[in-house]
Amino acid sequence: AGKLYQHAPTETSQATLASVAPVFAVMKFDKKGNTTYFDKKKTELYQELGLQARDLRFQHVVSIATRNNRIIMRMEFLKAVITPEFLLILDYRNSSLEHWLLNELASQLAGEGQLVTYSLPFEFRAIEAILQYWISKLQGRLNSLQPQILETLEALVDPKLFSVDRSKLHILLQNGKSLSELETDVKVFKETILEILDEEEVIEELCLSKWSDPQVFEESMSGIDHAEEMELLLENYYRQAEDLLNEARELRVLIDDSESIIFINLDSHRNVMMRLNLQLTMGTFSVSLFGLIGVAFGMNLESSLEEDPRIFWLVTGIMFLGSGLIWRRLLSFLGRHLDPPLPPHVPLKKSQPAAGRMEIKTSLKGETLGLSRSTITNQ
């Protein structure tokens, strides 16, 4: 009774775990490009493939690994398992992914596409097709971002603008974030391939047919070992990722330079407004200073000057003339202290060795056509 009591919860728990196991929507491709669809639980799938449960634990990461003569590729939402006989795409229900799977992948695996590995074993074609899809996906993201960023920068980098359109800055900020995400994805993809290239054993393990049929992988038709061809294949996409990352970096540098130009233009316009404000303040000070004379004559105090009709025009002229002279003086002071200073003059050395003078004469004689020796000596 005790043994039955102990085994009953275990069987119940196993049945419960099997019932809640995730179900994969699987698309299967064989060597000829034939496609089949089916749904299968995770427990059944990894048992049929001879894998562990953790091998089918797909996250949104980029990785390429080998397990039990199987290649497991994770390209974020693209999850694939490659064997020497077929290719499995798990959770393929994605709008962009379904278009590629139905229209391109089957023909590429059958040797009708533009893959350079069509004459090699099946796993070569599968790896190249997936890598080609992912690098084209990254290239498409860059191609869609580049014209938007250039158009926004062209609208912002304009010296005639006294202010910056906030909507354009918002668009540039969003595009900058998208570009940063793209740079991160390309770096992860490049580092994933680089990790494989640094491990010779991993490259050998990617050649699945080597373990099922060793004679196939002794040498290729061109005399190059197939492991070397796998390395060349990965290096090709590594270079493409490097070129793509360089383009993204150039676009990032262009954004940073454009931001600097925008700030310089805004600072220039701000300096102009500040200088104009300072000039008007000086003019106001000059008028107010000589306006004290009019204030003095405007007091209700009697003097002998108000009886002379010429005093009004004399005082008015002195006020305007004095205000103009002081304003002009202040403007000249402002110009002397705000204009950038000229670079210092570097005098030439007066004394030179005789050999140095002879070399100068010879060079000047060679560079100037038709100059006399006396002219060269004076120079």
Side-chain angles (χ1 to χ4, degrees), residues 304-322:
S304 59
L305 296 178
E306 65 268 7
E307 297 177 358
D308 191 350
R310 295 174 297 178
I311 294 298
F312 172 77
W313 301 107
L314 179 62
V315 172
T316 303
I318 292 174
M319 289 173 57
F320 280 100
L321 181 61

Side-chain angles (χ1 to χ4, degrees), residues 8 52 103 113 130 151 173 292 314 352 356 359 363 375:
Q52 299 294 329
N103 299 332
I130 294 176
E151 182 180 358
L173 178 61
L292 295 176
L314 179 62
Q352 292 182 352
E359 292 178 358
S363 61
T375 305

Side-chain angles (χ1 to χ4, degrees), residues 293-310:
I293 300 176
V295 173
F297 279 90
M299 293 187 297
N300 294 327
L301 299 177
E302 296 181 357
S303 62
S304 59
L305 296 178
E306 65 268 7
E307 297 177 358
D308 191 350
R310 295 174 297 178

Side-chain angles (χ1 to χ4, degrees), residues 218-242:
E218 288 181 356
E219 287 185 356
S220 63
M221 298 297 295
S222 58
I224 301 176
D225 185 72
H226 282 209
E228 296 180 1
E229 294 185 357
M230 177 65 73
E231 184 176 358
L232 293 175
L233 174 64
L234 296 175
E235 286 182 354
N236 179 29
Y237 286 96
Y238 177 81
R239 288 195 300 268
Q240 293 186 29
E242 183 69 23

Side-chain angles (χ1 to χ4, degrees), residues 149-162:
I149 293 176
L150 295 178
E151 182 180 358
T152 305
L153 292 179
E154 186 178 358
L156 290 174
V157 182
D158 189 355
K160 298 180 181 179
L161 296 178
F162 290 91

Side-chain angles (χ1 to χ4, degrees), residues 100 120 148 158 210 223 248 256 275 311 349 373 376:
W100 170 68
L120 296 174
Q148 297 177 9
D158 189 355
K210 179 177 182 179
D256 296 338
R275 187 163 185 165
I311 294 298
K349 294 182 180 180
R373 181 177 295 274
I376 295 174

Side-chain angles (χ1 to χ4, degrees), residues 21 70 75 87 105-107 127 134 158 169-170 177 180 189 219 225 239 287 295 304 326 330 333 336 346 375:
R70 304 285 189 268
M75 298 293 170
L87 165 66
L105 182 57
S107 60
I127 292 175
W134 193 248
D158 189 355
L169 287 177
H170 183 67
K177 291 181 179 179
S180 299
F189 178 76
E219 287 185 356
D225 185 72
R239 288 195 300 268
V287 173
V295 173
S304 59
I326 290 182
L330 292 175
F333 174 81
R336 286 197 306 269
V346 180
T375 305

Side-chain angles (χ1 to χ4, degrees), residues 94-146:
N94 184 289
S95 57
S96 60
L97 188 60
E98 285 189 19
H99 177 76
W100 170 68
L101 292 174
L102 297 175
N103 299 332
E104 299 181 15
L105 182 57
S107 60
Q108 290 177 345
L109 295 177
E112 300 175 359
Q114 298 179 354
L115 300 180
V116 298
T117 57
Y118 68 94
S119 60
L120 296 174
F122 176 76
E123 62 268 18
F124 279 81
R125 300 198 298 271
I127 292 175
E128 184 181 6
I130 294 176
L131 294 179
Q132 187 183 73
Y133 167 76
W134 193 248
I135 200 71
S136 62
K137 195 77 175 178
L138 297 175
Q139 184 68 49
R141 289 170 57 185
L142 180 62
N143 293 337
S144 62
L145 280 176
Q146 188 172 9

